[in-house]
Amino acid sequence: MADSSKGIPFLTGGNLKEGKLDISGASYITKEKHEKLISGHLVEDDIVIAVRSSLGSLGYVNKGNSGWNINSQLAILRTDKKELYGKFLLQFLISDMGQNELLKRQTGSALKQLPIGVIKDVEVPITLVEEQTKIGELFANLDNLITLHQSKFEKLQKIKKSCLQNLFPQNNQNTPKIRFKNFSDEWLKNKLCEVAEFNPKSELPYKFEYVDLESVVGTEMISHRTEIKESAPSRAQRLAKIGDIFFQTVRPYQKNNYLFLKSDINYVFSTGYAQIRPNINATFLMSYLQTDNFVKIVLDNCTGTSYPAINSSDLSNLTVVFPLSIQEQEKIGAFFSKLDKLITLQQRKVEKLKNIKKALLNKMLI
């Protein structure tokens, strides 16, 4: 919701996100300037399209966005309502076919543009306005459902961030702000190498699943590929065992770390990960390694700027804090394990809805 006390929202390409107008980060102009920029006035059912920078990004103007203004990076598509419904046109332009039509009309090399004149030449499959209305509303409802689940996903991420701050000690403290019932002892401090074995040696199997640095996003393994020992990449060295933690040593601020709990033992990770085999609770340590406090310490010990990295030896000498009680470790680990599963489940719901929408777009608008 725009803050009317600031003036009139003045949108750029960065305010067009997945077919919606996102007010966050927008600048504002005075009413006087707004009146002078009459060509940029938005009206309900308009479509805003980026013609310079963020090319092809789109946003739909609903009742709440009517009366806003746009800068020169953007253009307005306003349809003849007797022939073409704005929500229908938006969904066509978002579809693979629509995006391909826009892509092949881009001009320029170093500074690409999407001239409004060539956008007018895009052929749109048109049905009766009544059917367009139903199709547009169907996708609008689907978009709202995606937004709802995306919001739940983001809320769970914020909850996890807050819990990581409160269930682990902060700023060199020996106890966290929040404790589980019946636990009050101070936590211990030790080097990582004193609570875990690093990069244990092992003999690689003849055939295995290889996990490289692009295979883990967040705390989830999203891909892997089958390799044979003789032809595998030289970086395929870390044979996983249940309970091992694989810590990304390159750009550790991404927090793409993985706790291996698969029953299939034939997984081999890249040497871009430090393999950590804990002798304290693995789910607890995994959660600890994801805290902002620890990641900051890792970054302070990294080399490089564009691709900061830490070697396994330096990582192993960093200090960690943990409760002596195995039961407290288990409770904290189990809590974050359940929270991670909820986050993953919610993320998959969003991805499934987006895939459903994509499939429907390609079938209904072609």
Side-chain angles (χ1 to χ4, degrees):
M1 181 66 69
D3 185 351
S4 58
S5 66
K6 294 182 179 179
I8 307 297
F10 191 58
L11 307 181
T12 68
N15 298 116
L16 309 184
K17 295 182 180 177
E18 298 184 347
K20 297 179 183 293
L21 301 183
D22 185 351
I23 196 66
S24 59
S27 58
Y28 290 77
I29 56 176
T30 63
K31 290 183 179 179
E32 291 73 21
K33 186 172 183 179
H34 172 66
E35 291 306 322
K36 290 180 181 179
L37 299 173
I38 188 70
S39 62
H41 289 197
L42 300 182
V43 175
E44 186 177 357
D45 202 48
D46 281 350
I47 295 169
V48 182
I49 184 169
V51 293
R52 282 188 296 278
S53 183
S54 305
L55 285 185
S57 295
L58 299 152
Y60 180 76
V61 181
N62 56 37
K63 189 174 182 179
N65 310 137
S66 183
W68 293 3
N69 213 312
I70 59 173
N71 76 352
S72 59
Q73 296 177 353
L74 309 178
I76 299 171
L77 303 179
R78 186 170 295 161
T79 63
D80 179 350
K81 302 300 180 284
K82 295 179 182 178
E83 299 288 337
L84 185 58
Y85 183 44
K87 282 185 178 179
F88 178 84
L89 176 60
L90 171 74
Q91 299 303 336
F92 168 73
L93 293 175
I94 286 176
S95 71
D96 289 345
M97 177 183 278
Q99 286 293 299
N100 287 336
E101 289 295 322
L102 294 176
L103 182 64
K104 66 186 182 184
R105 286 171 169 78
Q106 293 179 13
T107 62
S109 51
L111 186 62
K112 291 189 177 294
Q113 300 186 47
L114 192 57
I116 193 69
V118 301
I119 296 176
K120 292 179 181 179
D121 294 333
V122 174
E123 293 186 359
V124 182
I126 296 178
T127 182
L128 295 175
V129 172
E130 291 79 9
E131 187 175 4
Q132 291 179 32
T133 303
K134 288 185 178 295
I135 292 173
E137 291 299 335
L138 168 67
F139 284 110
N141 291 334
L142 193 51
D143 283 339
N144 289 335
L145 191 58
I146 291 171
T147 299
L148 175 64
H149 283 285
Q150 182 69 35
S151 296
K152 289 181 179 179
F153 169 67
E154 291 169 358
K155 185 176 181 180
L156 283 169
Q157 286 185 310
K158 289 178 180 178
I159 289 172
K160 180 180 178 181
K161 184 178 179 69
S162 175
C163 289
L164 285 171
Q165 291 173 343
N166 287 292
L167 285 171
F168 291 97
Q170 304 290 309
N171 303 319
N172 296 316
Q173 298 294 311
N174 291 326
T175 55
K177 186 181 292 185
I178 297 176
R179 305 292 294 270
F180 283 98
K181 188 177 180 181
N182 298 327
F183 299 107
S184 58
D185 293 339
E186 285 192 352
W187 287 22
L188 304 178
K189 288 185 179 180
N190 255 330
K191 290 182 179 181
L192 254 178
C193 61
E194 294 174 325
V195 298
E197 181 184 2
F198 270 71
N199 302 333
K201 300 297 181 183
S202 55
E203 180 67 26
L204 299 187
Y206 172 73
K207 187 177 181 181
F208 55 83
E209 296 303 309
Y210 176 55
V211 183
D212 61 19
L213 285 176
E214 287 71 42
S215 298
V216 174
V217 176
T219 58
E220 288 297 306
M221 185 192 297
I222 62 170
S223 65
H224 50 82
R225 68 177 187 267
T226 304
E227 292 283 356
I228 296 173
K229 185 177 179 180
E230 284 78 4
S231 59
S234 60
R235 292 172 67 85
Q237 297 290 332
R238 315 254 194 253
L239 179 62
K241 179 181 176 182
I242 292 176
D244 284 352
I245 296 170
F246 292 89
F247 188 90
Q248 180 179 291
T249 56
V250 181
R251 290 184 288 183
Y253 57 82
Q254 294 181 328
K255 298 184 182 181
N256 293 333
N257 307 317
Y258 187 70
L259 173 59
F260 188 83
L261 296 173
K262 294 181 178 293
S263 56
D264 184 351
I265 61 172
N266 288 335
Y267 277 77
V268 175
F269 284 68
S270 164
T271 52
Y273 297 96
Q275 183 176 8
I276 304 172
R277 186 164 291 169
N279 51 45
I280 62 174
N281 184 268
T283 52
F284 167 84
L285 183 58
M286 173 66 177
S287 299
Y288 182 87
L289 300 181
Q290 296 293 101
T291 62
D292 289 341
N293 259 11
F294 182 77
V295 172
K296 182 181 183 304
I297 294 170
V298 172
L299 290 171
D300 288 342
N301 286 270
C302 282
T303 58
T305 52
S306 299
Y307 294 92
I310 187 170
N311 62 54
S312 292
S313 177
D314 289 340
L315 180 65
S316 72
N317 281 300
L318 297 183
T319 299
V320 293
V321 188
F322 59 96
L324 178 61
S325 167
I326 295 297
Q327 289 75 23
E328 188 173 8
Q329 293 178 27
E330 289 174 346
K331 281 185 175 292
I332 295 171
F335 173 81
F336 282 106
S337 179
K338 289 179 181 177
L339 190 53
D340 280 339
K341 287 177 182 176
L342 282 176
I343 291 171
T344 299
L345 179 63
Q346 194 60 42
Q347 185 178 24
R348 286 175 181 165
K349 284 182 181 179
V350 173
E351 290 169 354
K352 185 176 181 179
L353 285 168
K354 286 182 176 179
N355 288 335
I356 289 171
K357 179 183 176 180
K358 185 175 182 178
L360 288 174
L361 281 171
N362 291 333
K363 288 182 178 179
M364 297 182 73
L365 299 181
I366 294 177

